Amino acid sequence: MKKHDISRRRFIETTAVGGAIGIAGCTGSSSNDDQSGGQRILHNFEHGFSTGGLTYYPVQWGNEQGFFLEEEVSVNAFIGMGGGASMQQLAAGNFQIGTNAMDSTVLARAEEAEVSQLTTWAGLSHGLVAQEQYQSFDDLPEEVLLGISNPTSGSTGASYMMLSQNGIDPDRVTLVSIGGSRDRYLAVSNGDVDVGASVLDVALEARADPATDILTWAWEAGPEYYYMGTAVYEPWLEQSDENYNAAVRHTTAVMRAIDYAYENQNEFREWAIGRGYLGEEVADEYMELSFGDGGFNRRDPSMSPQG
């Protein structure tokens, strides 16, 4: 994929999420790409990823294709801490950028956290992992122990949606803070909690575990909507035009990476298998659910750098 001439600012401003959660960044000039002579200086980001899998692997692969270098940014990635913990770190200013569920941003802003959503680009991907003894929702105990990251994480909202849509009253649910997606799956497998939501790659692994199974998938229980995306720490963003433009370049690199994974799915599949991120036995299903028709990494032309 070659670089395109679209204004980075225009690209982000026309694809960013607005409304209740706000559009990040209203500062800075309206000029197109800032060009400076001399040595290239990369803007380094502390970037928290709530989980790996769908939200991180295409970005990592895109980084290896040179998209971040072309956009003059680099990333220190912190992966798999869960959406609530990632958002807490972002709201504290420990990260400049975070990849998390959009409802984490909404909940954080409701508590007056200084964060905004830059854009969203992946849909609900959680599976509700349950102990093997629970073959249906009717088999769940009267008090359901639900493993979560924390109450503000996107997986918590997804879990409540999956449970309530299948007849489980929220009053029956007791929240148990566990950690990220893999931690929640292992807690279910070890019998520490009854159920817990995990993102697709972990959920597929859980389904192959004799101790666990998948009761339902989030896309079966609720409406489709853009869900995972990047949020930004507002005080950092508003410090300077340079920070705003760096955030735009960073998000452009992320979107280019997702777009590139669509265009080169076979190569991406082999890369993920080679890195040990995907097992051969689940790779085809992972790719179909990720990039197939109605997949989580939805290809919306307006969100492409070519859009």
Side-chain angles (χ1 to χ4, degrees):
M1 175 178 289
K2 302 298 184 182
K3 294 177 69 175
H4 300 280
D5 292 333
I6 183 171
S7 159
R8 294 189 180 99
R9 180 180 300 275
R10 178 176 174 274
F11 171 56
I12 296 301
E13 289 181 344
T14 57
T15 62
V17 177
I21 63 175
I23 296 178
C26 296
T27 63
S29 65
S30 60
S31 62
N32 288 349
D33 302 349
D34 294 331
Q35 302 290 337
S36 58
Q39 184 178 2
R40 172 179 293 180
I41 299 175
L42 301 183
H43 189 109
N44 186 65
F45 282 90
E46 304 290 321
H47 186 150
F49 288 84
S50 61
T51 185
L54 292 170
T55 64
Y56 176 66
Y57 299 157
V59 175
Q60 181 181 350
W61 192 52
N63 184 40
E64 294 180 13
Q65 309 307 311
F67 296 145
F68 285 81
L69 182 63
E70 290 180 10
E71 298 294 340
E72 300 182 353
V73 296
S74 62
V75 172
N76 289 335
F78 298 84
I79 308 163
M81 63 187 65
S86 176
M87 178 53 67
Q88 287 175 342
Q89 292 291 317
L90 181 68
N94 295 326
F95 302 148
Q96 294 86 47
I97 295 283
T99 294
N100 52 264
M102 192 168 65
D103 47 348
S104 291
T105 306
V106 173
L107 290 169
R109 287 179 64 88
E111 297 297 324
E112 300 185 352
E114 296 179 295
V115 295
S116 286
Q117 198 79 11
L118 278 173
T119 190
T120 54
W121 40 266
L124 284 167
S125 66
H126 294 85
L128 190 66
V129 182
Q131 294 183 33
E132 191 274 337
Q133 62 181 304
Y134 305 129
Q135 293 296 301
S136 73
F137 286 91
D138 291 337
D139 296 332
L140 289 174
E142 182 60 29
E143 180 188 18
V144 179
L145 299 182
L146 170 63
I148 63 169
S149 168
N150 67 42
T152 64
S153 69
S155 61
T156 304
S159 297
Y160 271 123
M161 182 184 70
M162 288 185 280
L163 289 166
S164 63
Q165 289 291 320
N166 287 279
I168 303 300
D169 192 307
D171 290 339
R172 292 174 53 189
V173 177
T174 297
L175 303 181
V176 181
S177 293
I178 300 294
S181 244
R182 184 165 300 281
D183 297 324
R184 296 193 293 272
Y185 149 53
L186 293 175
V188 174
S189 182
N190 292 333
D192 298 327
V193 294
D194 299 309
V195 293
S198 293
V199 290
L200 178 61
D201 56 315
V202 177
L204 291 176
E205 181 180 339
R207 193 175 61 182
D209 183 342
T212 57
D213 205 349
I214 302 297
L215 281 181
T216 190
W217 298 95
W219 64 87
E220 295 175 343
E224 293 186 347
Y225 65 102
Y226 284 124
Y227 181 68
M228 299 297 296
T230 51
V232 64
Y233 181 56
E234 291 176 345
W236 168 84
L237 186 78
E238 295 170 357
Q239 283 177 359
S240 67
D241 288 357
E242 177 186 354
N243 287 357
Y244 179 90
N245 289 325
V248 171
R249 294 197 305 271
H250 172 280
T251 305
T252 300
V254 170
M255 303 302 289
R256 291 180 64 189
I258 298 296
D259 196 61
Y260 191 78
Y262 267 108
E263 292 285 357
N264 300 274
Q265 292 181 32
N266 289 335
E267 291 178 36
F268 174 70
R269 177 185 183 278
E270 295 307 310
W271 172 86
I273 291 173
R275 289 297 181 90
Y277 295 147
L278 290 179
E280 288 272 7
E281 68 280 3
V282 301
D284 288 343
E285 186 174 10
Y286 174 92
M287 293 301 297
E288 176 60 29
L289 292 173
S290 297
F291 297 105
D293 293 340
F296 310 118
N297 287 315
R298 294 174 174 85
R299 189 169 199 179
D300 181 343
S302 70
M303 300 178 73
S304 163
Q306 302 176 64

